Amino acid sequence: GYKAGGIKPGEAGADVRGFEQEFLNAYEVGLKGGTSDGSFNASDAAFYNDYEGLQLGQTTPTSALAVNSDAKVWGVEAEFAIRPSSRFQVDGSVSYLNSEIVGFESIDETDPFGSAPGTVAVAATPAGVIKDADGNPLPFSPEIKIAIGAQWDIPAGNWTITPRVDHYLQSEFVSSAFNKPIDRFDGYGQTDLKILLAPDSDQFEIRGYVKNLFDNDDFTRVLPAGRLVGRFREVVILEPRTYGVEATFRF
């Protein structure tokens, strides 16, 4: 794989250094199949990704820009669907991810003096302490992700009513390549409910839904700002409990 490089914000003329292109060597082996009656289907895969010049986002005193680092990522993932009857289904997925930054050194704008616990300092410059992030996990790359759902088709005269429940869970993650204690965040989960009403004619269907049933407010992303605005952190949280009705008509 290949992704082109580009120009960093604020650079112009002969001073343009930009960020470099990204290369990826990806390897994957997997297996998929199922029973002849369709009561069970599954797919499994193991993968290894070797990045050269992976483009990472980084905060600067005045903006955000892309920088390059090598990285190695490997993991396994599996998906399945179980149908013990023609009307009932349980499906889901699970994955494990191991990510590692390789040979990345830079100034951490959110900790320019290198005072955070665990800092491995390489050099001190007028702009700040250059840190060694080698071996740290990639930002926003939780090790574990699990999703599971179940649905049941219920005949009701000339209609079919299908209630469904889905639950998603992921483990803790870090928000920056420097893996400081303040960069680490707990995992989170979300439960959604749906109900589908469809006539046998299949001309239309009505769906009711509730997203984030338990109204969780966990952090999903954290975006640090530069020193000119006080190094505040902008957080993105799960959307609050949301419910509604949708309809689809077919002509």
Side-chain angles (χ1 to χ4, degrees):
Y2 168 80
K3 183 190 293 185
I7 299 173
K8 298 178 181 179
E11 293 185 338
D15 193 38
V16 172
R17 296 177 302 277
F19 54 93
E20 300 298 324
Q21 63 267 31
E22 171 185 312
F23 294 94
L24 168 64
N25 291 320
Y27 309 88
E28 182 173 340
V29 59
L31 177 69
K32 63 171 58 179
T35 57
S36 59
D37 61 359
S39 61
F40 179 78
N41 290 280
S43 61
D44 310 282
F47 58 89
Y48 176 79
N49 294 336
D50 185 3
Y51 288 93
E52 179 182 341
L54 175 65
Q55 295 168 6
L56 297 173
Q58 187 175 30
T59 300
T60 71
T62 57
S63 64
L65 51 80
V67 294
N68 296 92
S69 169
D70 294 345
K72 298 184 184 300
V73 180
W74 64 270
V76 292
E77 54 189 7
E79 299 179 348
F80 69 91
I82 303 172
R83 302 177 184 87
S85 74
S86 61
R87 298 191 178 277
F88 182 66
Q89 173 177 310
V90 177
D91 51 71
S93 64
V94 60
S95 65
Y96 171 80
L97 184 71
N98 182 286
S99 63
E100 181 180 349
I101 293 171
V102 179
F104 180 59
E105 299 176 353
S106 181
I107 295 172
D108 180 0
E109 175 58 27
T110 63
D111 180 33
F113 302 110
S115 57
T119 293
V120 179
V122 176
T125 71
V129 171
I130 298 176
K131 293 184 177 184
D132 182 2
D134 185 66
N136 289 345
L138 287 171
F140 307 108
S141 301
E143 287 188 348
I144 303 294
K145 290 183 179 181
I146 299 174
I148 189 166
Q151 66 183 53
W152 184 23
D153 295 338
I154 305 171
N158 295 326
W159 292 71
T160 299
I161 303 172
T162 306
R164 179 177 175 87
V165 58
D166 288 283
H167 183 71
Y168 171 80
L169 180 69
Q170 75 165 50
S171 61
E172 64 180 12
F173 63 92
V174 298
S175 63
S176 99
F178 300 101
N179 195 19
K180 304 186 299 296
I182 197 173
D183 294 332
R184 300 170 194 155
F185 295 87
D186 294 335
Y188 60 88
Q190 178 173 323
T191 302
D192 300 333
L193 299 178
K194 300 176 185 177
I195 186 167
L196 173 68
L197 288 78
D200 294 342
S201 64
D202 200 34
Q203 292 180 337
F204 67 93
E205 58 187 33
I206 302 171
R207 294 177 296 276
Y209 63 88
V210 181
K211 297 180 180 179
N212 193 4
L213 175 65
F214 300 109
D215 202 24
N216 296 341
D217 58 357
D218 301 285
F219 294 161
T220 61
R221 281 190 87 79
V222 182
L223 309 172
R227 69 187 69 173
L228 292 185
V229 289
R231 298 193 178 98
F232 69 84
R233 289 178 175 240
E234 177 184 354
V235 298
V236 180
I237 65 174
L238 288 172
E239 292 185 6
R241 182 190 300 118
T242 306
Y243 53 88
V245 177
E246 299 174 341
T248 299
F249 298 89
R250 301 180 180 90
F251 301 95

